[in-house]
Amino acid sequence: MSDALLTPQLIRLGCQPAGKEAAIREAGRMLADAGCIAPDYIDSLLRREAVANTYLGNGIAIPHGMVEDRAMVLRTGVAILQIPAGLEWNPGQRTHLLCAIAARSDDHLVLLRQLTRLLQDEARLLPLFSTRDSADLIAALEQPAETPQADVEAQDLDVRDEWRLDYPNGLHARPAALWVEAARRSPAQLQVRHGGRAADAKNLISLLQLGLRQGDLVAVSARGPQAEEGVRQLLKAMREASLAEQTAAAIAAQRAAGARKTAGWQPAGSLISLPGIAASPGLAIGTVRVLAGERLQVPDRPVSLADGGDRLHEALAATRQQLAELADSTQATLGAGEAGIFRAQAELLNDTDLITLSCQLMVAGHGVEWSWHQAVERLAEKISALGNPLLAARAADLRDVGRRVLFHLDPALQGSAPAEFGPDTLLLAADLSPSDTASLDLSRVKGLATAQGGPTAHTAILARTLGLPALVAAGAALLDVADGSPAILDGDAGRLYLNPGDADLASARAWQQRQLEDQQKQQAERQQPGQTADGKRIEIAANINRPDQAAAALDAGAEGVGLMRTEFLFLEREAAPDEEEQLRTYLAMQQALQGRPLIVRALDIGGDKQVPYLNLPHEDNPFLGMRGARLLLSRRELLEPQLRALYRAAKAGKPLSIMFPMISSLKEITRLKGLCEGVRKELDAPQVPIGIMVEVPAAALLADQFAPYVDFFSIGTNDLTQYALAMDRQHPELAAEADSLHPAVLRLIRQTVQGAAAHRRWVGVCGGIAGDPQGAAVLAGLGVDELSMSPHDIAAVKAMLRRHSHARLRELAEQALACDSAEEVRQLLEALA
C-alpha cells in the first residue's frame, strides 16, 4: 500500500468519540486536513450511513461517501480512528477500527482486501484494537509483498508466437472458452503466458487466473505433435473472438450512453432510496421480496474414493446435459449471445484443477459433496482475489454451475424453490445466478435488484435481454429492506425507492402508462414517412448486414437501407467470398427491398474489425493504421471482386449506391472512382451513385473540396467522435464519455452539411446517434437529409421528428453548437422528450 494512501498522520490512536456521527466527522476532518477531500464530503460520508450499513464486521467499519459525490474527493486516502473501548455502530455491532475511505479510483481496494483477510484472523486483528504504535496498523494493512519467483520461472515452450489482446473487457469466460475449445483440438501441449505467469491453454480457470486485460501482450507456445499448427489454430481462435468482443463492448457503451437520453421518472415527493448501478432500463412498481442468501451448509459425509468419484462423474454429466438444454432453450427465446453464457458455464466443468482439488479432498477423507463445494469456493475466491470486476462476475458463474452439480449430488441441499412469488414482485438478492435469472417468471417478477454484481455480469445481460428493469451493486443495505414492503425500482437511474406514498405511486404508474402509450403510438405510426411537423422530409433508413434482415427492417418503418455492412460476408470463414457469392447476396438484398434505396458500404476492415485469414500486419494502434479505404487501395484483390459484384448487381436495374469508408484525402476518392469506372466500363454497367463516409475530422473539414467528386456523404458518428475527442469508443472506462452530441462533433457535422450543400450534395448519418431520438432531432436541425439506424430505433425517431417543426429544430441545433459539453447539450435536449 502506497504511503500516499495510508500515513501516520491519517491514524489516530486511543480515540473516544461521543458517538457514531462524531467519529465519522472526526475522520472526515482528518481527510480534509490532509487534502484528500473537500470539507463538504463529510456530509456525504454521513449520508451514506443513512442508506447503507458500512460495518464490515468483527470490529471494523468502513464509512465512505456517496458515488455521486466522488468529484469532492481530491485524492485517494484513508483515515483510521482506533477506538479501544469500542463504539456502537448499529445495535449489536461494535467498532474498534474506523477506516474512513475517500476513493477517486480503485487504489483503496488493496486496503479492503487486506481488511477482509484481517476479519478472519483474530490473532492479528485483536492487538490492533489496543496498539499504541501506528506503525503496527500500517504494517498489518500493507499489501503483502509479491512473491513472483514461481512466476518468473515460467518459460515458453518450443514453438511460440505473440498476440496483443484487443478485447475491451479483457479475457473472461466466453472468449476463454473458445480458446480452450481450440486448444483441445490440438494434440500438442499449449500454453499462454503473460509476463512471468503462464497458464495451460486447455484449462479455463487457469486462463482466467492470468487476469488478462485489453492491451496485454501474450505469448502462445506449444510442444509436442503438431505444435506449430496448434499455435496457429489457437491464435486464430483468439483473433476470431475479437469482433464479438468489440461488438459487445460497443453495445454496452451505447446502453451506457442511452441511460442519459431522457430525464426519466422523478418521485412526486421526497423518498428514501438506495442507489446502485443501472443495469437494465425501465420502471417497475411492486412489492419487495428479499431472497435470502443463506450460506449453504454442506455436510461432510466421507465415502470411499471409488464411490465418491462415480457419483461426481454422474453429477457432472447430468449438469452438462442440463446446461446444454438451458443453452438451447435460451438461444431459441433470447438469442445466441445469451445462450453462450451457459455454454461457457459448461466449459467450467471441464477444468482439471477443479476436478483434481475435489479428488484430493476426497482422498484426505472428506465426502464428495463437501469436497466439491470446497473446491468450487476455493477456486472462485482465487479468481475474485485478482481484483478484476469482470472476473469477479465470472467467479459468480463458477459458483452457479458448482451449485448445479451440488444439487445433483444431494437434491436435499436445494431447499424450496422460490415459486411463491406474488404478482408484481420486485426481487432483491445478494446476487442472482444467470440460470436463476433466465428462468424467472416474468408474469410475476417485474424488477430485479442485487447487492452485488455489475452491469457486465451475465445476470445484468440477461435482464436487459428479458426487458426486466434491474439495478446491481446496491450494497448490503439492500438486503435490510423489509420483505413485503412497497417500492419503485428505476432501472434507468439505478435506484430503489422505498415505501412510496400514494402520490408517488400514482406518478410512477402515470409515467409507465405514458411510456406504454407512446410506444404503442410510435409503432402504429411507424410506416409514416420521416418528416418534421411542418413537412420537412428526412429519409429514415436502416443499418443491416444481410438480406434476411430486410423484411424486419421494412416492417419496422425503414424507407430503405442506408448502410449495408459487407464485412460480415468476410467473417467466420477460411477465405474471402468470391465474386459470385457476393453477387448473390447483393441481388438478394435488392430483391428484398423491392426497389427501395440501397447503399452498400465497401469492405470496412481494420481497426476494431480484423479478419484472420488476411494476415494483416500487427499495428500498435490499428485505429490509426491500415483500415477502410487505405486497406482497400492496398489490397486490390479484395476490392475488385467486390466492385465487379456490385456493378453486376446494378445491371439488374434496381437502386444501388456504393459508399467507401474511412476517407481522409481527395487522392483516395479519385483513385477509388477510377477503379470503379474501370470496372463499370468493362462490364458495361450503368452509373451508380458513389459516396464517402465522413469518419475522420479531415473529411468533415474538407467536405466542400470533396463534394464535387462524390454524390453523397454519410457521417459515421461513432468513429468521428472517437477521432475528434481522442477517446476509444470501446474503452471500458471512456466509452460512456465518447458522446457524439459533444459540440465539437456537432460542429464537424455542420461543416460537412455546409460543404455538401455548396455543391448540392445530400448528407446522411449512419452512426449510433442517428438512432437516438434527441440526437436525430439535432441532426435534422443541422440540415442532415437522411438518418440510418438500427430498425429497433426507427419508430421512436420518426415520432420525435413529427413532434417538432424544422424551424424549432434549427434553433435547437444552433443552441447545441454554442454549448461547451455533451452533458450541456443533453440537458438542453431534455425539453424535447
Side-chain angles (χ1 to χ4, degrees):
M1 184 175 304
S2 65
D3 291 340
L5 182 60
L6 185 60
T7 66
Q9 291 73 28
L10 282 169
I11 297 176
R12 286 188 184 168
L13 304 176
C15 298
Q16 296 178 311
K20 177 177 173 179
E21 180 177 343
I24 293 173
R25 289 191 180 279
E26 183 176 352
R29 284 191 294 271
M30 291 167 63
L31 289 168
D33 292 344
C36 296
I37 62 171
D40 287 347
Y41 193 72
I42 297 173
D43 292 331
S44 184
L45 294 170
L46 293 168
R47 284 202 304 278
R48 169 69 75 176
E49 291 302 318
V51 298
N53 182 3
T54 63
Y55 182 77
L56 192 60
N58 218 1
I60 301 177
I62 52 167
H64 48 285
M66 305 293 284
V67 174
E68 57 264 33
D69 296 329
R70 183 171 285 187
M72 298 184 202
V73 178
L74 308 178
R75 66 178 179 88
T76 300
V78 179
I80 297 181
L81 298 187
Q82 180 207 58
I83 311 170
L87 171 70
E88 186 176 62
W89 201 254
N90 290 309
Q93 299 172 344
R94 198 157 190 83
T95 294
H96 294 273
L97 287 180
L98 183 157
C99 303
I101 299 171
R104 278 194 67 82
S105 62
D106 61 359
D107 298 338
H108 66 295
L109 295 179
V110 173
L111 172 70
L112 289 179
R113 285 198 294 269
Q114 189 63 1
L115 284 170
T116 302
R117 295 188 188 102
L118 280 173
L119 286 177
Q120 302 168 19
D121 189 351
E122 289 194 356
R124 293 179 61 208
L125 176 62
L126 295 180
L128 300 180
F129 294 169
S130 56
T131 182
R132 297 185 179 183
D133 188 348
S134 60
D136 292 341
L137 279 164
I138 293 175
L141 294 174
E142 279 181 342
Q143 172 74 352
E146 295 290 339
T147 55
Q149 288 80 2
D151 291 339
V152 171
E153 295 173 2
Q155 298 293 326
D156 294 330
L157 304 178
D158 302 338
V159 179
R160 74 181 293 277
D161 202 344
E162 290 185 341
W163 180 63
R164 195 171 295 279
L165 188 78
D166 60 1
Y167 307 165
N169 290 320
L171 181 65
H172 56 100
R174 276 178 290 172
L178 298 177
W179 293 19
V180 170
E181 183 181 341
R184 287 183 178 162
R185 287 196 292 265
S186 170
Q189 176 188 355
L190 281 160
Q191 174 183 282
V192 177
R193 178 182 59 79
H194 172 56
R197 304 182 64 193
D200 177 0
K202 300 180 182 181
N203 184 313
L204 183 63
I205 292 179
S206 180
L207 286 171
L208 293 179
Q209 288 175 346
L210 289 176
L212 296 177
R213 298 173 183 266
Q214 184 181 36
D216 284 348
L217 183 67
V218 297
V220 179
S221 61
R223 174 179 296 149
Q226 303 176 32
E228 288 189 9
E229 178 65 11
V231 169
R232 190 181 75 82
Q233 290 297 331
L234 180 52
L235 284 168
K236 178 185 175 186
M238 292 173 166
R239 294 187 179 108
E240 286 182 345
S242 294
L243 182 64
E245 290 301 298
Q246 304 284 358
T247 302
I251 291 171
Q254 289 174 1
R255 283 168 175 156
R260 302 186 300 237
K261 288 181 184 177
T262 62
W265 175 75
Q266 297 294 327
S270 179
L271 281 179
I272 296 175
S273 67
L274 292 177
I277 297 175
S280 180
L283 194 71
I285 305 168
T287 302
V288 163
R289 171 71 193 282
V290 181
L291 195 60
E294 296 179 2
R295 198 170 183 87
L296 275 176
Q297 300 297 319
V298 180
D300 190 359
R301 297 185 290 254
V303 295
S304 70
L305 182 59
D307 183 31
D310 288 344
R311 290 179 56 206
L312 181 57
H313 177 78
E314 291 169 2
L316 290 169
T319 303
R320 289 189 188 97
Q321 178 63 30
Q322 189 180 46
L323 287 169
E325 293 170 358
L326 183 56
D328 289 344
S329 64
T330 301
Q331 180 159 343
T333 55
L334 302 182
E338 288 69 22
I341 292 171
F342 301 109
R343 295 197 171 101
Q345 281 194 347
E347 184 55 50
L348 292 169
L349 297 178
N350 298 325
D351 185 79
T352 53
D353 288 346
L354 188 60
I355 307 301
T356 299
L357 181 53
S358 300
C359 292
Q360 287 172 342
L361 292 169
M362 281 192 281
V363 169
H366 296 287
V368 59
E369 299 93 345
W370 189 92
S371 298
W372 171 257
H373 183 58
Q374 283 296 308
V376 168
E377 287 299 314
R378 291 180 192 183
L379 285 174
E381 288 293 338
K382 197 171 182 181
I383 294 173
S384 297
L386 293 172
N388 182 327
L390 195 69
L391 292 184
R394 302 300 79 84
D397 283 334
L398 178 56
R399 289 189 171 101
D400 182 22
V401 75
R403 290 167 83 93
R404 284 183 174 274
V405 175
L406 194 61
F407 297 156
H408 279 294
L409 287 168
D410 185 357
L413 290 170
Q414 191 162 5
S416 56
E420 60 273 19
F421 294 154
D424 298 329
T425 289
L426 301 181
L427 185 59
L428 276 52
D431 205 351
L432 207 62
S433 71
S435 50
D436 286 341
T437 306
S439 60
L440 288 174
D441 181 355
L442 299 185
S443 68
R444 293 179 173 272
V445 178
K446 302 302 182 184
L448 173 65
T450 63
Q452 304 163 19
T456 63
H458 288 155
T459 296
I461 293 170
L462 288 168
R464 287 191 289 269
T465 306
L466 291 166
L468 187 68
L471 64 91
V472 295
L478 183 76
L479 304 180
D480 293 333
V481 175
D483 198 78
S485 58
I488 299 171
L489 190 152
D490 189 341
D492 293 288
R495 282 190 174 270
L496 180 70
Y497 295 92
L498 304 177
N499 298 313
D502 291 342
D504 296 305
L505 290 170
S507 169
R509 291 190 181 105
W511 190 89
Q512 283 182 321
Q513 185 61 31
R514 286 195 301 272
Q515 293 295 106
L516 178 62
E517 291 171 355
D518 284 348
Q519 291 169 5
Q520 292 172 338
K521 183 180 180 182
Q522 289 169 10
Q523 288 300 312
E525 298 175 347
R526 67 187 186 278
Q527 295 298 340
Q528 292 186 14
Q531 60 185 28
T532 60
D534 52 354
K536 169 65 176 177
R537 190 75 168 85
I538 310 290
E539 187 173 349
I540 304 298
N543 298 340
I544 60 176
N545 308 327
R546 302 186 304 273
D548 60 6
Q549 298 171 329
L554 296 179
D555 182 66
E559 300 164 12
V561 170
L563 169 62
M564 177 186 175
R565 307 179 185 93
T566 59
E567 57 270 19
F568 291 87
L569 284 167
F570 293 73
L571 297 174
E572 297 182 4
R573 55 193 301 152
E574 296 292 334
D578 61 21
E579 180 181 327
E580 296 302 323
E581 181 181 348
Q582 293 192 60
L583 174 61
R584 289 193 296 272
T585 301
Y586 305 142
L587 288 173
M589 183 67 85
Q590 289 176 311
Q591 181 66 32
L593 290 176
Q594 304 168 7
R596 295 175 179 84
L598 168 63
I599 300 176
V600 181
R601 182 175 69 187
L603 177 63
D604 186 13
I605 290 294
D608 60 333
K609 296 186 285 290
Q610 298 288 337
V611 176
Y613 59 79
L614 294 181
N615 297 315
L616 300 179
H618 169 74
E619 296 182 281
D620 289 337
N621 194 333
F623 283 102
L624 302 181
M626 294 296 289
R627 63 173 300 202
R630 300 169 189 169
L631 180 64
L632 292 174
L633 287 168
S634 69
R635 299 287 293 267
R636 298 267 292 274
E637 74 277 13
L638 293 174
L639 175 60
E640 290 180 357
Q642 184 168 39
L643 291 180
R644 289 180 60 84
L646 287 167
Y647 275 102
R648 288 174 65 187
K651 294 180 73 171
K654 292 180 180 176
L656 180 127
S657 301
I658 301 173
M659 178 166 66
F660 290 104
M662 283 297 294
I663 296 293
S664 59
S665 71
L666 184 57
K667 181 173 69 174
E668 291 170 340
I669 296 173
T670 55
R671 288 182 64 193
L672 288 165
K673 288 193 69 177
L675 291 168
C676 287
E677 184 61 12
V679 169
R680 187 194 71 78
K681 287 181 176 179
E682 178 187 347
L683 296 172
D684 191 26
Q687 298 276 357
V688 300
I690 295 176
I692 64 170
M693 291 198 69
V694 177
E695 297 170 280
V696 298
L701 296 171
L702 294 175
D704 60 332
Q705 295 184 29
F706 291 173
Y709 298 88
V710 301
D711 297 300
F712 63 93
F713 297 85
S714 186
I715 302 173
T717 53
N718 298 348
D719 269 321
L720 184 62
T721 300
Q722 78 168 348
Y723 289 124
L725 303 183
M727 285 184 179
D728 183 349
R729 59 188 169 92
Q730 294 172 341
H731 190 289
E733 295 179 24
L734 296 177
E737 300 301 318
D739 192 334
S740 297
L741 286 181
H742 193 289
V745 179
L746 297 181
R747 291 185 181 210
L748 289 170
I749 294 171
R750 179 180 65 172
Q751 188 155 347
T752 303
V753 170
Q754 291 174 339
H759 299 275
R760 298 187 178 181
R761 300 296 191 260
W762 66 267
V763 178
V765 173
C766 60
I769 201 65
D772 175 341
Q774 294 176 343
V778 172
L779 294 172
L782 290 171
V784 167
D785 303 288
E786 179 238 38
L787 299 170
S788 193
M789 64 203 71
S790 165
H792 173 78
D793 297 323
I794 289 174
V797 167
K798 283 186 172 182
M800 173 64 79
L801 295 177
R802 283 195 300 270
R803 283 200 293 269
H804 304 281
S805 70
H806 194 241
R808 166 65 176 141
L809 297 182
R810 283 200 308 269
E811 176 187 352
L812 201 68
E814 288 300 317
Q815 293 174 335
L817 292 168
C819 292
D820 60 14
S821 68
E823 288 78 10
E824 188 177 344
V825 173
R826 289 202 177 270
Q827 289 173 6
L828 173 71
L829 297 179
E830 285 181 1
L832 290 174

